[in-house]
Amino acid sequence: MRNESLVDGISFSTFLAASIMAAVGIYQATKKRKPNEDGDAYCYTNINHPEKCLMDKLLSSIFPLIFPLSKMSKQPSYDDDNEIVKTMTQKFSKQGQKGFETKLEEYSKFVRNTYSSDYLVSGDVYVPRDPDILGKFGIPNAKEILRMSTKPQDSGAEIVIQLICPASAIKDVSVIEEPKDVKGKGPKKLKACKLEDIRFSENAHVVLWFHGGGFVLGSAKDEFAIGRVLDLMKCQGRQKKDKSFAPPIILLSVEYRLAPQNPFPSAIIDGLSASSFLAERFSTNPIHVAGISAGGNLSAIVGLESHRKYPGMFKSIVADIPMFEPTSATESHRLNSQSSGICPVDFLRWCWSAYFQLEQVKDKQIRIDFCSEVSFIDAFDSSIWSKFMNSQASRLVSPKADLPDLSNDDDSPTILVMTATADPLHDAGVDFFKCVEVKSKKCVHIESKGSHVLNNTFDKSAVKKLIEEWSLVFSATATTRDS
């Protein structure tokens, strides 16, 4: 899967300068590793990382010049009005929009070229936000969690969801606007409506998607979401050698609330509200939950909790390079602490701090050194969330803490976990998979080579395996329904 948006807009001079710097560094590099910020462990530099290809190293060098995420870690994690944070958020959103529009056009062309009578539809729909959803899902200490958390901003009673699907997946076409250019290659727009006003075709699959961005960046307009669904559609056609076989896929990408304006458990509440709505309103359609990075965390949590409440209704869970470990203290965090240009470890700690409001202690603010593992762990251990992380309720952050029953193959979801070998998040993702593997036979781990996110660009064999394994779930569900 291509990912042009990462390099789109980079000037030739910037690219050339970074390339020369990387080439000189690679030439001079040895296999020695240097101490990390705490001085008590060793880590790879970008240029001598054994798990990165040359282009991965080049882009890992260039990305911080365009999106210096580590600058955010120098700012207070509780201040949502900070100019540097606002600028980085806007820049990230603008670049993400470009990638989304490019991938959306590619998907639209595929649908029109593959299914002559079909076309792509996209637009915003709305589902109700349920502030009491934690209690309804039986989350331990739900009231205490809400009491402990910082009050989120008033975001209204509804959640915005980006809906993208072939028109054949919708029964009532009256919700689709008439296009200005009938022969145009772009998707047709949905009329602004509630999701409950739309009827899905019986054979359509639903993918509930959560975008990445460390719980602080990103939006529902996510190019990775479209890329995964597009790859699924292509894969199903190849498996059956009959493109018409592939059932339409309805992508529902959740615009969940972001920190620091809306800290934990706001994103969880939005995710569970959306999954519960789908289970109650579209019970005849197979539902899948997926996400990448921080969205991989949410997909695992929302998917497993939804299986616990609605066994048999959720067919698969995909946790793609998931972000699990709040203390950021695994071996892969240490080894990659100075080599992950797209996912800096100090930025990860800042994200977790924003998510849990660790620098907001009662009526005063403190400052945390996000470059130091020791300093960050001390801050986390002294926070109000330390006790929470040792309870069953911690499954809202680390789902391995209290997994549901996954022993019944007939109603348990297939769980797919992809990790990247040069990713700070690698070890926590592998640990999650190993815990799931003990309880379920329907789980697959895909190990990819490379950096966080860039693994999707440079290890295509791993991405292909992920899509093929996921596609088997769709095909098996369709076969079961037809028999």
Side-chain angles (χ1 to χ4, degrees):
M1 182 180 67
R2 299 183 66 186
N3 195 16
E4 292 93 339
S5 65
L6 286 175
V7 295
D8 183 39
I10 298 175
S11 67
F12 176 76
S13 59
T14 302
F15 181 85
L16 181 61
S19 299
I20 293 174
M21 290 168 55
V24 172
I26 292 170
Y27 176 77
Q28 295 177 339
T30 67
K31 291 297 182 182
K32 293 180 180 179
R33 295 179 287 175
K34 61 181 182 178
N36 67 7
E37 296 87 347
D38 293 309
D40 59 353
Y42 287 84
C43 59
Y44 292 112
T45 59
N46 181 51
I47 56 179
N48 70 6
H49 205 301
E51 296 295 328
K52 295 186 179 185
C53 67
L54 177 60
M55 283 304 298
D56 189 324
K57 293 174 182 180
L58 291 177
L59 285 179
S60 293
S61 298
I62 294 170
F63 190 87
L65 302 177
I66 311 302
F67 296 101
L69 296 176
S70 288
K71 280 190 175 181
M72 292 177 70
S73 68
K74 304 297 189 295
Q75 312 306 314
S77 60
Y78 54 79
D79 186 3
D80 57 287
D81 200 37
N82 182 284
E83 283 303 317
I84 291 179
V85 175
K86 286 169 63 176
T87 299
M88 194 62 61
T89 301
Q90 292 167 0
K91 195 173 185 180
F92 195 88
S93 178
K94 183 179 180 180
Q95 196 68 17
Q97 179 72 23
K98 289 182 180 179
F100 172 80
E101 290 173 355
T102 300
K103 188 61 69 173
L104 186 64
E105 183 177 346
E106 181 185 344
Y107 189 15
S108 181
K109 289 180 180 178
F110 169 79
V111 172
R112 287 182 180 272
N113 293 337
T114 306
Y115 312 100
S116 58
S117 61
D118 211 348
Y119 52 89
L120 198 66
V121 176
S122 72
D124 291 341
V125 294
Y126 303 88
V127 299
R129 176 180 291 115
D130 187 348
D132 300 319
I133 198 69
L134 298 185
K136 293 178 181 178
F137 269 74
I139 304 298
N141 305 316
K143 291 183 179 180
E144 184 180 0
I145 292 171
L146 293 173
R147 180 183 58 79
M148 290 167 58
S149 62
T150 303
K151 186 177 180 180
Q153 291 183 353
D154 184 9
S155 303
E158 293 182 313
I159 304 165
V160 180
I161 292 181
Q162 177 74 201
L163 186 153
I164 302 172
C165 69
S168 59
I170 298 177
K171 279 187 173 182
D172 185 3
V173 294
S174 65
V175 298
I176 303 173
E177 290 184 356
E178 287 295 324
K180 295 180 181 179
D181 178 11
V182 178
K183 296 181 180 180
K185 295 181 180 180
K188 296 183 181 181
K189 293 291 184 181
L190 276 174
K191 295 178 182 178
C193 63
K194 296 181 179 181
L195 186 56
E196 65 184 41
D197 296 330
I198 299 176
R199 292 185 300 153
F200 297 156
S201 301
E202 287 83 355
N203 67 331
H205 287 248
V206 178
V207 173
L208 187 66
W209 178 268
F210 296 93
H211 67 81
F215 304 110
V216 300
L217 299 171
S219 76
K221 293 184 176 180
D222 184 11
E223 64 179 296
F224 285 102
I226 303 176
R228 289 291 186 257
V229 170
L230 176 56
D231 287 345
L232 272 172
M233 295 288 286
K234 291 179 179 178
C235 185
Q236 290 183 80
R238 287 195 301 269
Q239 285 177 340
K240 291 292 182 178
K241 297 181 181 179
D242 176 8
K243 295 176 181 179
S244 64
F245 163 82
I249 298 174
I250 299 166
L251 173 62
L252 298 175
S253 184
V254 183
E255 192 74 77
Y256 60 87
R257 291 171 292 175
L258 301 175
Q261 300 96 323
N262 298 283
F264 174 84
S266 297
I268 303 292
I269 290 173
D270 291 353
L272 293 178
S273 294
S275 72
S276 179
F277 183 87
L278 288 177
E280 298 287 348
R281 294 299 183 107
F282 300 100
S283 58
T284 60
N285 293 97
I287 305 172
H288 310 262
V289 187
I292 189 169
S293 194
N297 173 295
L298 293 175
S299 68
I301 293 166
V302 171
L304 290 167
E305 292 301 327
S306 297
H307 167 65
R308 198 190 303 262
K309 184 172 176 61
Y310 304 100
M313 293 190 63
F314 289 78
K315 305 304 180 183
S316 69
I317 299 170
V318 178
D320 194 344
I321 50 175
M323 178 179 169
F324 280 134
E325 180 50 60
T327 60
S328 304
T330 68
E331 184 70 8
S332 60
H333 280 93
R334 300 184 189 104
L335 287 176
N336 298 290
S337 62
Q338 295 184 26
S339 62
S340 185
I342 288 183
C343 185
V345 173
D346 56 340
F347 171 68
L348 286 173
R349 293 172 184 146
W350 187 91
C351 290
W352 283 115
S353 180
Y355 195 51
F356 287 112
Q357 293 291 281
L358 297 182
E359 291 188 309
Q360 186 77 39
V361 181
K362 294 183 179 179
D363 296 328
K364 64 178 182 178
Q365 287 87 33
I366 64 171
R367 289 308 311 275
I368 300 171
D369 180 4
F370 296 110
C371 290
S372 170
E373 178 183 309
V374 173
S375 175
F376 185 69
I377 291 176
D378 286 345
F380 200 95
D381 287 345
S382 61
S383 73
I384 59 174
W385 297 108
S386 179
K387 179 181 177 181
F388 163 80
M389 289 304 296
N390 293 316
S391 70
Q392 279 186 314
S394 65
R395 72 194 200 205
L396 292 185
V397 180
S398 180
K400 68 176 186 177
D402 183 22
L403 293 168
D405 182 13
L406 299 169
S407 60
N408 188 343
D409 291 348
D410 292 334
D411 67 16
S412 294
T414 297
I415 300 174
L416 306 177
V417 181
M418 184 156 81
T419 55
T421 52
D423 186 357
L425 307 178
H426 173 271
D427 289 1
V430 172
D431 189 36
F432 167 70
F433 171 77
K434 288 180 177 179
C435 292
V436 171
E437 190 178 28
V438 172
K439 304 195 70 172
S440 172
K441 296 178 182 178
K442 297 171 62 178
C443 58
V444 180
H445 176 219
I446 296 95
E447 183 83 295
S448 64
K449 193 177 180 69
S451 300
H452 187 74
V453 174
L454 291 180
N455 66 311
N456 286 278
T457 301
F458 300 121
D459 192 348
K460 298 193 180 297
S461 61
V463 175
K464 180 181 178 183
K465 182 178 179 182
L466 173 66
I467 295 300
E468 288 176 345
E469 293 286 350
W470 199 12
S471 183
L472 290 175
V473 182
F474 283 70
S475 299
T477 304
T479 301
T480 301
R481 289 164 64 87
D482 292 341
S483 60

